[in-house]
Amino acid sequence: AIGFLLVASGMLLSLYLLLQAGFTVVLLLIVALFTLASSHALASLLAPASAALLPARLKTATVSLGPCGEAELATLLVWPLCLALAGTWFLCRRATWAWALQDVLGAAVCATFVRTVQLPSLEVGVQLLGLMFLYDIFMVFLSPLFFHKSVMMSVATAGQPSHTVLADGTCERYDGERMPMLLMIPRGDPSRGDYAMLGLGDIVVPGLLLTFAARCDLSLRGAASPLGYWGAASAGYLAGLSCALAANMYHLTINGVQGQPALLYLVPLTIGPVSLL
C-alpha cells in the first residue's frame, strides 16, 4: 500500500514539475502511451468474445511473437480493431465527439486494471484506500500551501485549449493537449469545451475494493449479490460520487481550488458499509 502511494505521488509530482517548467511535450508522450495501453486493454477484454467464435482447437491457441514472447490467437484477432479505435481517438482527439471514445478507452483501462490487480485482504484494502484518501486531499486541497497551486488540478487541466489577444487585436488560439487519464462528460454543447471530469484513479482505487467485495460474495453466496458486500460497496460508491458532484456543484472548496478530491467521499462511503457487514 505504501509502495503504491509512493509511486503515485512521485509520478504526479514529476508531471507537475515538468509541466511547470514548460515541458508540455510530456503531455503528448502520455497521450501516446494511453493510446497503446488502452488498445491493449480493450483487446484483452474482447478476447473472450473472439475466442467464443473460434473452433474448439483454436480457442486457447497461442502465436509466437519472437523476442516479445507469445500471445493468444483470440487476442491477436481483435488487436487490429482495438488499435484502429485507439488510433482514431489519437488522430481525432480534439474533435467534439472524441470524449465518448476516450471514455470507452479509459473504461477499458480501468476494467483491465481491477481484473489484473487484486486485494489480498480487507485489511490491505483499508490501508491502501486510507492512504489514497489522504493523498487525494493533499494533492487537491492542501498542495497550494506548498506549491502555490493545486498539484492535482494543475496536472488534470494542463494543456487545455486557451486563447491570447495580441497587441494588434488578433486572437491567437491554442488547441492544447488535454490529459487523457480521465473520463469526460460535456456540460451542454461539447464545442464549448466545458466538461465534467473523473480521474481514472477515482475509479480503480475504489474499484479494487468493489472487486474484492464481489469475490467475497462469490465465495460465500456463489454470486455477487446486491444484498451482500458487493451491493453495499457499489451503493457506497454511487453515494460518494453523488456527494463529490454535489460538492463541486455548490463550490465547496479549500484554498480556492476549483475541483474536488473524489476519494474524500468515495473512500469512507465504500469502506464503511463493507466493514459494517
Side-chain angles (χ1 to χ4, degrees):
I2 295 177
F4 192 95
L5 175 68
L6 292 176
V7 170
S9 300
M11 291 180 63
L12 184 63
L13 288 173
S14 297
L15 278 174
Y16 174 77
L17 294 174
L18 285 171
L19 292 170
Q20 292 301 305
F23 293 98
T24 53
V25 69
V26 72
L27 288 175
L28 183 59
L29 177 60
I30 292 173
V31 167
L33 291 175
F34 175 78
T35 302
L36 294 174
S38 61
S39 64
H40 175 73
L42 191 58
S44 68
L45 294 177
L46 295 178
S50 172
L53 299 176
L54 293 173
R57 62 187 179 85
L58 296 178
K59 289 183 182 298
T60 58
T62 59
V63 177
S64 175
L65 300 179
C68 298
E70 294 184 340
E72 293 182 355
L73 176 61
T75 302
L76 291 179
L77 289 177
V78 295
W79 178 267
L81 172 62
C82 299
L83 192 58
L85 287 174
T88 299
W89 172 81
F90 179 83
L91 296 174
C92 305
R93 61 189 181 279
R94 295 188 179 91
T96 55
W97 51 264
W99 63 271
L101 191 51
Q102 177 176 321
D103 286 357
V104 171
L105 297 174
V109 171
C110 292
T112 302
F113 183 89
V114 297
R115 189 177 70 168
T116 305
V117 180
Q118 297 182 351
L119 294 175
S121 66
L122 180 60
E123 180 182 357
V124 173
V126 170
Q127 292 174 357
L128 174 62
L129 267 68
L131 289 173
M132 296 307 294
F133 169 83
L134 298 174
Y135 159 87
D136 209 24
I137 293 173
F138 177 82
M139 291 299 182
V140 176
F141 278 159
L142 302 182
S143 56
L145 300 176
F146 302 90
F147 299 96
H148 307 295
K149 291 182 181 180
S150 170
V151 171
M152 185 73 76
M153 295 307 299
S154 296
V155 171
T157 59
Q160 287 196 349
S162 61
H163 63 274
T164 303
V165 178
L166 303 179
D168 60 0
T170 305
C171 182
E172 188 176 77
R173 180 177 175 80
Y174 171 63
D175 288 334
E177 193 64 76
R178 197 185 301 272
M179 183 68 69
M181 304 300 290
L182 36 81
L183 302 187
M184 302 166 57
I185 298 178
R187 297 188 180 101
D189 186 358
S191 63
R192 293 169 48 200
D194 184 19
Y195 293 90
M197 297 180 290
L198 181 67
L200 300 189
D202 298 325
I203 300 173
V204 299
V205 172
L208 293 174
L209 181 64
L210 265 68
T211 54
F212 176 79
R215 295 204 313 274
C216 289
D217 283 345
L218 285 172
S219 64
L220 295 173
R221 299 177 174 86
S225 170
L227 300 178
Y229 293 105
W230 178 82
S234 298
Y237 185 88
L238 290 175
L241 191 58
S242 299
C243 290
L245 292 173
N248 201 45
M249 183 183 301
Y250 290 103
H251 305 291
L252 302 181
T253 184
I254 297 175
N255 294 322
V257 176
Q258 298 300 312
Q260 292 293 321
L263 294 182
L264 169 64
Y265 312 95
L266 295 173
V267 168
L269 288 174
T270 51
I271 287 180
V274 172
S275 301
L276 292 175
L277 288 178

